[in-house]
Amino acid sequence: MATNKKSQPRYDLKAQDRKRNLAIQLGLTAIVVIFAVALVLFIVMGKDKKTGSGEAQAVRITSSSLIKKDGSDEPKAVLGLYEDFQCPHCRDFEKSFGPTISKLIDSGAIAADYYSVSILNSRANDNYSTRAANAAYCVGDESKDAFRRFHSALFAMQPEEGAGGAPDNARLIETARQAGVVGGVPGCINSGKYNTMVDGLAAAAKITATPTIRLNGEDISPNTPEELIAKVEAIVGKVPALPAPAPAPAPAPAPAPA
């Protein structure tokens, strides 16, 4: 009588190889996913990273006809302007010197470095100095042409110091839009990307008052636009596109002897 033999168990010789390959594939997939997530976080965090205290960053405005140092791409004359958008003296300076500075930029005589500081914050104006300065840098990130228009608009809409009623962020964003830029400006303004920097900029740049004007790093105090032109032309030479400085007034005649 025949007996049924138990079948011998079969071993899949390739099972271990398949398991090992699967583990390797899963591991590689996990690494790729982790790397992708890390890259996205790095980009997002880098984009939203706030500029820190102790830095003195400028919005540089130049033209294609910029006069440069011989054998260099560096401008021959750099005009640094340290301003607070809440400062009445800065507003008056912009009114008196702004058109001349624009001519100096467009003629190529200077590169203008605009530093927006905040030294006149108040609760009444909801820290407008900081918010306006931050907004100016946000606009400058997107468009230099829009920055020039926005810069003028901020001084034109300057609130009375300490009296309340300062423009809120929504109005700053709308003013930026009217100046010709949107892009990342709303998010930049609302996040206060440059708040820390502008709050510490005066100390970082070692200025104690606004406006402070520096020509190639040296403090200057021109009394008239013509005097500013003369100081710039002393560095870069005569610029045909600029008006000639007004001649100095003739001395008064000496009184006749008694």
Side-chain angles (χ1 to χ4, degrees):
M1 178 175 161
T3 59
N4 292 327
K5 292 183 179 181
K6 292 184 179 179
S7 59
Q8 295 294 324
R10 295 183 179 182
Y11 294 94
D12 188 345
L13 298 178
K14 295 183 178 180
Q16 293 299 324
D17 290 340
R18 284 199 297 271
K19 288 180 180 179
R20 184 172 61 252
N21 290 340
L22 179 60
I24 292 172
Q25 290 174 356
L26 290 174
L28 290 175
T29 301
I31 292 172
V32 171
V33 170
I34 291 170
F35 178 80
V37 171
L39 180 62
V40 170
L41 288 174
F42 176 80
I43 293 172
V44 172
M45 292 176 69
K47 185 176 180 180
D48 293 337
K49 183 181 178 182
K50 295 187 178 182
T51 307
S53 178
E55 298 183 48
Q57 182 175 324
V59 177
R60 173 164 287 188
I61 306 297
T62 64
S63 75
S64 58
S65 54
L66 178 64
I67 299 172
K68 301 176 182 177
K69 296 177 182 178
D70 294 340
S72 169
D73 286 333
E74 291 298 311
K76 206 166 187 180
V78 178
L79 189 70
L81 302 122
Y82 297 82
E83 307 167 311
D84 187 321
F85 289 111
Q86 180 63 80
C87 164
H89 296 298
C90 298
R91 179 194 61 205
D92 295 342
F93 179 86
E94 168 66 15
K95 191 179 297 183
S96 299
F97 286 82
T100 297
I101 292 172
S102 288
K103 289 177 182 178
L104 287 167
I105 294 170
D106 294 337
S107 69
I110 64 168
D113 281 353
Y114 287 91
Y115 295 89
S116 302
V117 307
S118 60
I119 59 177
L120 292 174
N121 276 326
S122 69
R123 274 189 194 175
N125 279 344
D126 191 21
N127 293 333
Y128 180 71
S129 286
T130 294
R131 293 189 298 104
N134 171 68
Y137 279 106
C138 292
V139 172
D141 282 347
E142 294 287 336
S143 167
K144 298 300 188 291
D145 289 335
F147 172 85
R148 295 176 74 173
R149 293 187 288 269
F150 188 71
H151 175 270
S152 298
L154 285 180
F155 280 120
M157 60 194 263
Q158 183 184 91
E160 185 178 347
E161 188 178 352
D168 60 11
N169 284 356
R171 187 175 173 195
L172 291 173
I173 291 168
E174 174 59 19
T175 302
R177 186 193 67 77
Q178 292 175 1
V181 66
V182 180
V185 170
C188 182
I189 289 177
N190 286 327
S191 70
K193 178 179 179 180
Y194 292 100
N195 284 3
T196 302
M197 185 194 74
V198 300
D199 286 346
L201 199 154
K206 298 180 180 178
I207 66 165
T208 57
T210 54
T212 291
I213 314 302
R214 290 175 176 167
L215 183 58
N216 284 354
E218 297 292 329
D219 287 7
I220 60 171
S221 300
N223 293 311
T224 64
E226 291 76 20
E227 186 178 336
L228 176 59
I229 290 174
K231 288 181 180 295
V232 170
E233 289 192 329
I235 297 172
V236 302
K238 179 65 179 174
V239 182
L242 296 176

